[in-house]
Amino acid sequence: MSHRPPAPMPDTLSDAFAAAVLLSSTDKPDTLPPGRLSPVSPLPSKHGHQHHHPTPSSSSGSSGSVSVSRAPVAPASGLASRRSHSGEIPLPSDAPPRGAARPGHRRTGSGPLIFTSGAACSSSATSPLTNALPAGNICPSGRLAKPLPSSCSSAATPPPPPPPRASRHDVLGSGTANYGHGSIVRSRAAVGAATDDDAVLRRAMSAADPEEVKRAGNDQYRKGCFEEALRLYDRALALCPDNAACRGNRAAALIGLRRLGEAVKECEEALRIDPSYGRAHHRLASLHIRLGHIEDALKHLSLATPQPDLLELHKLQTVEKHLGRCLDVRKAGDWKSVLRESDAAIAAGADSSALLLAARAEALLRLNLLDEADIAISSASKLDYTSSCSSDTKFCGFLANAYLFYVHAQVDMALGRFDHAVSSIDKARIIDQGNTEVVTMHNKVKSVARARSLGNELFNSGKFSEACLAYGEGLKQHPVNKVLYCNRAACRFKLEQWEKSIEDCNEALKIHPNYTKALLRRAASYGKMERWAESVKDYEILRKELPGDKEVAEAYFHAQVALKSSRGEEVSNLKFGGEVEAIIGMEQFQMATSLPGVSVIHFMMPSNQQCCKISPFVNTLCTRYPSVNFLKVDVNESPAVARAENVRTIPTFKIYKNGMRVKEMICPSQQLLEYSVRHYGI
């Protein structure tokens, strides 16, 4: 088959966009002919207000196929005609089909039961049907509710029975389960439908005709069952390896599974079989936009149709604009702008660009947002980048893969994962040996890792002064490393240099707020200096961060006691932890609830089932929150206390703080009880 040579590619995106507009003043995004839509952001076809659905047709170019009806489009002069492949999946459905259900799960038209009152005896076009039960509504008994009688109906002439409903396979059967309590029993019809689907898949997988197998794959794709569709396309390709349409359909299934790197290779294989396959060019252009490959996207977009798809071209231009700005502001060291432009490029369409995610991670790291930076670089590492990018691709002056490892090494080093940092920067150095930034970072990571390792060895040997010096050498290379600051603070704590220990903890917390190790060491240092107010404040933060840590709770309790004692308050009755204390008289109750701190009183009765259920959980809370006093009052043994507190329902919980009642709960859930204890006790 002969082909005319393709049209020359525009030099720039702006030229391509202008040329596309000049070719046809009526070919606008909202009037594009079918088959010209974007697989990423599809627009509905408006040609004649008709919807074109794939229909079986004879093969034209590749055997075994389902073709899509297209409106005739006159090719532009000087541009090559494109070969059409039957059996192709339409490009707008490269994204998962809307409303696609999992196998064995069907949507129903269920809705609320509708009953009418006797006042309405006539119906209109806008009134709901009386006594109508939408499909899928099942009463708890498994039977349909009886319709209410209508006052307009004559006694002699009963209302006609509702028409018999046809058997539906997408409605749950009545079964014997107690509906509304989490048990759902599938009807025999639904089970039978699932069994039929399995049988169809088995027959398709064992078929020898690639056309039948491909058709079955297309059916599974339209249902959103991409794994099943992929297996069927693999089977069809085993029978007919040089089928470009099947390669394209396999790429669509891979896109649905978010395996974009493999989808790129599949589209490239389709184009190797048929270089003029326009649909594969279009799909490949969309993939390159998502991956942030501007030049490759423009190349395939210009070959996708007789003229560039304006919607995809606009998306490509927007991504290119923000990507260019991102590179410029990174050179200037404007990290806030790097974060803004990388986010804009991702939002514009490059949602699977590992390099943009890495740039975002680097910006977050420089802004001391360590946790967010770690999430961003982890997301970039999960993307299948290496299989979709050539080894000579450049980004910010780096070879692309080297930049990913370069950023990963920085994040790992900042978070104290020194071994991982060394491994990542070694890989970057191997890939991009001549890059000066990689070489500089390689030397820095190696030096910091050595300093940290030496400092740890000296600390474990009890040589705290020498360990301080080792950590200091590491900080000269990386002055924003929270781990080295915190480790040096530990050395200074051991040397009883409390003030210097606090200073190092402050530096670590500037880099990473709420860094628990730094807070612990600073709180302990404040305690050594008897600055109890600052110590209690740090322990309060730690109690929120580590609510189940008993050591933190005990240290917090002792700091509170010391603070109260320094203010001249009575602390002799304060105690830490223990068991739930039983109250047997009014005087004991008044004394217990007037103590400083938080007291939780459980009004209970041993014979009550609800009390028996929640009592073990109260014991657990007593262990979990040892700085809180837990008390229990048996209303049978101490009725005077129950009457004084106006307790009429059990179990009842009351919380006192510093002698004042702040909370009362009747029959609370475990979640509410613990939330309240934590809220008032911390």
Side-chain angles (χ1 to χ4, degrees), residues 321-334 338 396:
K321 177 183 68 176
H322 291 296
L323 179 58
R325 290 176 180 174
C326 180
L327 301 180
D328 292 339
V329 293
R330 184 190 179 277
K331 292 177 183 177
D334 184 356
V338 171
C396 297

Side-chain angles (χ1 to χ4, degrees), residues 416 418-419 447-457 470-471 484 487:
F418 293 96
D419 293 339
S447 298
V448 173
R450 281 195 300 267
R452 178 255 190 179
S453 180
L454 177 60
N456 288 357
E457 291 177 7
Y471 293 133
L484 296 181
N487 287 1

Side-chain angles (χ1 to χ4, degrees), residues 63-95:
S63 63
S65 58
V66 178
S67 66
V68 179
S69 175
R70 296 173 177 266
V73 180
S77 61
L79 296 173
S81 60
R82 308 296 184 203
R83 180 183 301 174
S84 64
H85 290 265
S86 58
E88 301 166 350
I89 292 176
L91 282 171
S93 58
D94 279 356

Side-chain angles (χ1 to χ4, degrees), residues 428-504:
R429 180 72 183 273
I430 293 171
I431 296 170
D432 202 353
Q433 298 179 3
N435 189 290
T436 56
E437 289 190 65
V438 171
V439 172
T440 302
M441 184 58 63
H442 184 269
N443 295 335
K444 179 186 290 189
V445 171
K446 291 280 190 178
S447 298
V448 173
R450 281 195 300 267
R452 178 255 190 179
S453 180
L454 177 60
N456 288 357
E457 291 177 7
L458 293 169
F459 183 90
N460 293 331
S461 301
K463 300 177 180 180
F464 304 120
S465 296
E466 293 84 348
C468 262
L469 295 175
Y471 293 133
E473 288 299 318
L475 286 168
K476 290 178 182 178
Q477 295 292 328
H478 194 221
V480 290
N481 194 289
K482 65 168 187 174
V483 176
L484 296 181
Y485 276 117
C486 201
N487 287 1
R488 193 169 70 176
C491 294
R492 289 174 167 174
F493 184 89
K494 292 289 186 180
L495 294 169
E496 299 184 0
Q497 298 173 359
W498 320 121
E499 195 68 48
K500 289 185 177 180
S501 178
I502 291 171
E503 289 175 2
D504 278 345

Side-chain angles (χ1 to χ4, degrees), residues 157-177:
T157 308
R165 295 195 302 172
S167 175
R168 290 173 56 100
H169 296 291
D170 59 343
V171 181
L172 294 176
S174 60
T176 59

Side-chain angles (χ1 to χ4, degrees), residues 7-277:
M9 190 171 60
D11 293 334
T12 65
L13 284 174
S14 298
D15 294 340
F17 191 83
V21 173
L22 290 174
L23 279 173
S24 174
S25 60
T26 60
D27 190 13
K28 295 182 179 164
D30 60 344
T31 57
L32 291 174
R36 290 277 310 286
L37 300 181
S38 163
V40 180
S41 301
L43 291 176
S45 173
K46 291 187 178 181
H47 185 73
H49 300 284
Q50 295 178 357
H51 298 283
H52 300 274
H53 300 283
T55 55
S57 67
S58 60
S59 174
S60 64
S62 295
S63 63
S65 58
V66 178
S67 66
V68 179
S69 175
R70 296 173 177 266
V73 180
S77 61
L79 296 173
S81 60
R82 308 296 184 203
R83 180 183 301 174
S84 64
H85 290 265
S86 58
E88 301 166 350
I89 292 176
L91 282 171
S93 58
D94 279 356
R98 181 177 298 178
R102 295 181 180 179
H105 295 73
R106 309 281 177 85
R107 288 191 176 187
T108 67
S110 60
L113 296 175
I114 302 174
F115 299 98
T116 59
S117 63
C121 58
S122 62
S123 62
S124 65
T126 59
S127 63
L129 293 175
T130 60
N131 301 333
L133 295 175
N137 289 280
I138 302 174
C139 296
S141 64
R143 299 178 179 276
L144 297 178
K146 293 182 179 181
L148 295 177
S150 173
S151 61
C152 299
S153 302
S154 170
T157 308
R165 295 195 302 172
S167 175
R168 290 173 56 100
H169 296 291
D170 59 343
V171 181
L172 294 176
S174 60
T176 59
N178 187 7
Y179 288 92
H181 292 79
S183 299
I184 297 178
V185 178
R186 297 175 63 191
S187 68
R188 294 180 180 179
V191 174
T195 305
D196 292 343
D197 289 343
D198 294 339
V200 170
L201 285 174
R202 286 196 298 271
R203 284 198 303 271
M205 289 297 293
S206 60
D209 182 7
E211 179 180 358
E212 180 182 351
V213 179
K214 192 197 313 183
R215 258 199 314 270
N218 293 351
D219 291 341
Q220 293 300 317
Y221 178 88
R222 294 187 186 98
K223 294 176 183 178
C225 304
F226 304 119
E227 290 283 3
E228 291 80 356
L230 193 61
R231 287 200 297 270
L232 290 164
Y233 293 141
D234 288 340
R235 169 65 178 164
L237 286 170
L239 298 172
C240 184
D242 293 332
N243 189 317
C246 196
R247 291 283 180 186
N249 289 1
R250 188 176 189 276
L254 289 167
I255 293 171
L257 294 170
R258 297 191 61 81
R259 292 158 58 178
L260 304 190
E262 296 176 64
V264 168
K265 292 189 176 298
E266 204 63 39
C267 288
E268 291 172 347
E269 182 63 19
L271 291 172
R272 183 194 64 78
I273 298 170
D274 182 4
S276 64
Y277 187 10

Side-chain angles (χ1 to χ4, degrees), residues 393-430:
T393 300
K394 288 275 190 175
F395 185 84
C396 297
F398 297 80
L399 289 176
N401 291 335
Y403 180 69
L404 291 176
F405 290 121
Y406 171 83
V407 176
H408 220 308
Q410 294 183 75
V411 175
D412 286 334
M413 183 169 62
L415 292 171
R417 301 191 293 252
F418 293 96
D419 293 339
H420 289 90
V422 170
S423 175
S424 294
I425 201 62
D426 282 343
K427 293 175 182 177
R429 180 72 183 273
I430 293 171

